[in-house]
Amino acid sequence: MRLRLIVGLWIALVAAAHAQTTYPSKPVRFIVPYAAGGSVDPLTRLFTVRLTESLNQPMIVDLRPGGNTVIGSELVAKAAPDGHTLLVMTVPNHTINALMMPNLPYDSVKDFAPVASFATSDYMLVLHPSVPADNLKAFIAFARARPGQLNYGSGGSLGISQLGTELFGVMTGVKMQRVPYKGSALAIVDLVGGQLQVGFYTPISCMQYVRARRLKAMAISGERRAPALPEVPTFAEAGLPGYEMRVTYALLAPAATPRAVIDKMSGEFARLVALPDMRERLAAQGVAPLYSTPEQLAGMIRADLAKYDKVIKASGLAMEK
């Protein structure tokens, strides 16, 4: 019995070592379940270029938008668990789907293995220049006087942008009309064009328009101002303390992916996030580096499930049938 146990442990160690040295053995597909031009696509490409160099295999960014990320997520959940098909997801988007969509074709927790997080971003409230408000308090007063008359756009349904806007409404008494889009990038185009008046987006998605004065930034949801946009106050500074909304960019693998494979890819992201030039490039896009181990990412997902369950109930959003 003891000899059998030793042999079993030896075989497991050999298999893990083999996986570490042979992975990846072919191109790795990074499934991005969002439309092109948002924040996830360019951030993923920033990392995959470096991964192609270090792992000596092509890293392919495969955009699979649709179904509020369900199409791409299902593809990964049902892929071979060998580490060659990975999901680039945002938390809490992944957890919001689990809370709001009971008929998902996968389990958001059980069907995925956390690999790593690699960046995090706050959200900004931005306005079209035609809105006569130059600060958050003035905008809240303006919007309160016009319930349902201001339009905001959000990508998909039940996403973080919609939830962030609904939370803002709960805290301020502001009521706005949602216009759904297939992706946030399309909504931002219409916001810049004046078809929409309001939006909640990540800095990387709309920073260029704020700098060009084609959009007005009222506040950012972080505890501190973004280094890339130091003139934009936090919500607390602007008069709405307690408003908190943040997105974390994370990597998931199919469940049952060997731990050695997960550790190798997770270690690559840890190395890249620590590089000074990568940190500078992230900061220039209004994004902060954030590496999390598989265990830390799993804890983050569990914490978000509890947090946004309360937010959804407070906002009164209806669960999809």
Side-chain angles (χ1 to χ4, degrees):
M1 179 66 72
R2 188 173 180 180
L3 178 60
R4 187 179 300 171
L5 179 61
I6 292 172
V7 171
L9 289 172
W10 179 80
I11 292 174
L13 288 171
V14 170
H18 180 71
Q20 280 277 11
T21 56
T22 60
Y23 172 78
S25 59
K26 60 183 179 179
V28 178
R29 279 199 303 163
F30 288 75
I31 304 298
V32 175
Y34 302 91
S39 61
V40 184
D41 179 20
L43 282 178
T44 303
R45 294 180 191 279
L46 180 63
F47 280 85
T48 53
V49 168
R50 296 295 186 89
L51 289 168
T52 296
E53 297 170 355
S54 63
L55 294 177
N56 297 313
Q57 285 287 351
M59 302 288 143
I60 301 168
V61 178
D62 188 349
L63 301 180
R64 295 296 183 103
N68 198 38
T69 75
V70 172
I71 292 175
S73 299
E74 182 182 11
L75 190 157
V76 176
K78 297 179 178 179
D82 58 8
H84 290 93
T85 304
L86 302 171
L87 177 67
V88 186
M89 177 53 73
T90 62
V91 182
N93 199 164
H94 192 66
T95 50
I96 291 171
N97 282 353
L99 293 168
M100 296 293 292
M101 303 171 74
N103 296 319
L104 284 174
Y106 53 82
D107 187 297
S108 296
V109 176
K110 295 179 181 179
D111 289 339
F112 298 92
V115 178
S117 72
F118 54 92
T120 185
S121 177
D122 299 309
Y123 269 74
M124 283 198 306
L125 168 60
V126 290
L127 310 178
H128 186 265
S130 63
V131 179
D134 292 322
N135 59 67
L136 184 63
K137 289 184 177 180
F139 170 68
I140 292 173
F142 178 81
R144 278 177 179 164
R146 295 162 180 80
Q149 295 181 34
L150 300 180
N151 295 326
Y152 76 92
S154 68
S157 62
L158 313 175
I160 184 65
S161 184
Q162 180 185 359
L163 192 59
T165 310
E166 295 294 338
L167 178 60
F168 177 78
V170 169
M171 295 179 67
T172 62
V174 168
K175 297 184 184 299
M176 295 184 286
Q177 184 65 40
R178 175 178 174 265
V179 181
Y181 287 81
K182 291 184 178 180
S184 61
L186 299 175
I188 292 171
V189 169
D190 275 2
L191 178 60
V192 173
Q195 287 78 29
L196 304 172
Q197 293 78 47
V198 188
F200 275 81
Y201 306 113
T202 56
I204 189 175
S205 300
C206 59
M207 186 165 53
Q208 59 180 317
Y209 299 112
V210 173
R211 287 174 171 167
R213 300 184 183 277
R214 299 180 70 184
L215 292 177
K216 298 190 294 188
M218 296 291 99
I220 194 165
S221 63
E223 295 179 359
R224 302 177 183 83
R225 297 190 182 199
L229 291 166
E231 72 280 8
V232 181
T234 67
F235 274 90
E237 291 173 331
L240 189 62
Y243 182 86
E244 184 180 326
M245 192 61 59
R246 170 167 285 200
V247 61
T248 297
Y249 302 91
L251 193 67
L252 304 177
T257 299
R259 181 57 192 246
V261 168
I262 289 173
D263 286 345
K264 185 167 184 178
M265 184 60 76
S266 185
E268 283 295 310
F269 273 83
R271 181 184 63 82
L272 291 174
V273 166
L275 294 176
D277 68 314
M278 287 289 283
R279 299 175 78 88
E280 290 174 6
R281 293 186 68 177
L282 290 171
Q285 299 184 68
V287 178
L290 177 68
Y291 170 73
S292 299
T293 65
E295 289 75 21
Q296 290 169 334
L297 179 55
M300 187 185 303
I301 291 172
R302 289 193 299 270
D304 263 25
L305 282 168
K307 173 183 176 179
Y308 287 101
D309 184 44
K310 296 178 182 178
V311 172
I312 289 167
K313 290 175 179 175
S315 67
L317 287 171
M319 181 179 289
E320 283 198 352
K321 302 299 183 183

